[in-house]
Amino acid sequence: MAETTPTTTKTRTRVRAVLLSDRIDTTNLEHDGVVTTAPLTYRFGKNGFVTLFRYGVVVLMALTELEEAEVLRSLQHRLTRPVVPREEEAVLIAVGADKDDQVLPGGPISLKAISPDRLVVIADALSKSVVLARDEREVAGVFDLVEPFARQLAEKGRTLAGRRAILKHVGNALLVQQRLSGRAAVTEKPDVVWDRHDLDRFYSRLEDEYELKERAEALSRKLAVIADTAEVLTDIIDTQRSLRLEIIIVVLIAVELIVAGYQAWH
């Protein structure tokens, strides 16, 4: 992909990543000005770009508010299980001929010139960051729900929660794990950086800035804790059920013996 001609003036461009749904259907999506198909990136408006990720994220680059609204509206019928509320993250890109490609901590991303491949790298990092933000919120919610079960077990030696309630929370955690290791592939680098050492270094800086690996590893550890806790709780519930079943069987046998004895007596 060819780079645009570097400008001598310094400009700032906004890049906004929005998590719309669990999946965006990009099948048969035809659009003028396509610059890459993996992920699907095309020109929009005067100077803007749109990048679509199948795991539900759209990244809007250098678009006006009206253009952003138009893109979001056009994607509504392609969304599977829309996310409410939407997660989003934005960053500013500072462009200038006297700048080098660098990621300033907490500040704008500095580029010597805007090019489609650089924008795809930025879009990839932002999209993963916004997916992680949603997963972190959901895992925190599962932790808040599982914690009372563990507290009941510690204080009373038993839990009042049913197996179905616990499995429901485990299911939510499994969905997060699937997104983490499957569709979003947070720890994998985008295809555009292969054989491009400059883009590989640039992506590594973005990866460090948004702490993608660290956040993914922290989520994995939390998911492991949730899975272990759920296994313990379900084992306890199964044991309690087995004990109740054994008691019922003993009572039935006793009743049958009493009835048989009564009939034999008479």
Side-chain angles (χ1 to χ4, degrees):
M1 288 178 285
E3 293 190 357
T4 57
T5 304
T7 57
T8 56
T9 59
K10 296 180 181 180
T11 61
R12 288 201 171 190
T13 300
R14 187 178 75 148
V15 179
R16 178 185 173 206
V18 185
L19 177 60
L20 299 177
S21 63
D22 284 346
R23 190 171 184 83
I24 298 177
D25 182 13
T26 59
T27 306
N28 299 324
L29 197 159
E30 297 181 359
H31 207 286
D32 296 334
V34 173
V35 295
T36 179
T37 57
L40 178 60
T41 302
Y42 56 87
R43 299 180 185 273
F44 192 90
K46 186 177 180 181
N47 298 308
F49 292 85
V50 176
T51 299
L52 300 179
F53 294 90
R54 293 186 177 181
Y55 48 82
V57 180
V58 57
V59 182
L60 311 162
M61 298 167 273
L63 301 184
T64 65
E65 291 185 3
L66 290 177
E67 289 171 340
E68 288 183 354
E70 183 180 347
V71 172
L72 296 179
R73 187 168 54 252
S74 68
L75 294 174
Q76 288 302 310
H77 69 287
R78 293 182 172 272
L79 305 182
T80 302
R81 292 183 295 277
V83 173
V84 180
R86 293 173 175 173
E87 293 282 351
E88 64 177 85
E89 193 164 343
V91 67
L92 289 177
I93 299 177
V95 185
D98 58 339
K99 295 180 178 293
D100 294 323
D101 294 347
Q102 57 182 324
V103 182
L104 304 177
I109 297 173
S110 177
L111 295 179
K112 194 179 187 94
I114 289 182
S115 63
D117 47 9
R118 285 184 174 86
L119 291 179
V120 167
V121 169
I122 295 172
D124 186 272
L126 266 185
S127 70
K128 291 174 180 176
S129 179
V130 80
V131 167
L132 283 170
R134 178 205 182 183
D135 291 344
E136 288 163 347
R137 177 168 54 82
E138 291 193 353
V139 168
V142 175
F143 255 99
D144 291 340
L145 293 171
V146 171
E147 191 268 342
F149 303 155
R151 186 174 297 277
Q152 289 174 5
L153 186 61
E155 295 177 353
K156 301 179 181 180
R158 62 191 179 93
T159 178
L160 303 178
R163 182 185 179 91
R164 179 175 296 180
I166 294 174
L167 291 178
K168 181 179 179 181
H169 302 319
V170 174
N172 290 332
L174 290 176
L175 287 175
V176 173
Q177 192 171 32
Q178 181 188 14
R179 287 196 300 267
L180 190 65
S181 60
R183 287 177 292 175
V186 173
T187 58
E188 296 182 8
K189 293 185 178 182
D191 294 341
V192 71
V193 306
W194 297 112
D195 300 324
R196 287 287 303 273
H197 298 299
D198 56 332
L199 292 180
D200 189 31
R201 289 193 299 270
F202 182 49
Y203 181 78
S204 296
R205 297 189 192 106
L206 289 169
E207 197 174 44
D208 292 339
E209 172 64 18
Y210 292 105
E211 299 178 334
L212 300 182
K213 287 184 178 180
E214 292 82 358
R215 291 162 68 187
E217 290 172 357
L219 275 174
S220 296
R221 289 193 295 269
K222 291 180 180 179
L223 289 169
V225 171
I226 291 173
D228 292 342
T229 304
E231 184 178 359
V232 170
L233 292 174
T234 51
D235 286 346
I236 291 173
I237 291 174
D238 289 341
T239 302
Q240 291 173 343
R241 282 185 172 182
S242 298
L243 180 60
R244 286 197 297 267
L245 183 60
E246 290 174 0
I247 293 173
I248 291 172
I249 292 173
V250 170
V251 170
L252 289 175
I253 293 173
V255 170
E256 186 177 352
L257 290 174
I258 292 172
V259 171
Y262 178 79
Q263 291 175 345
W265 176 263
H266 289 278

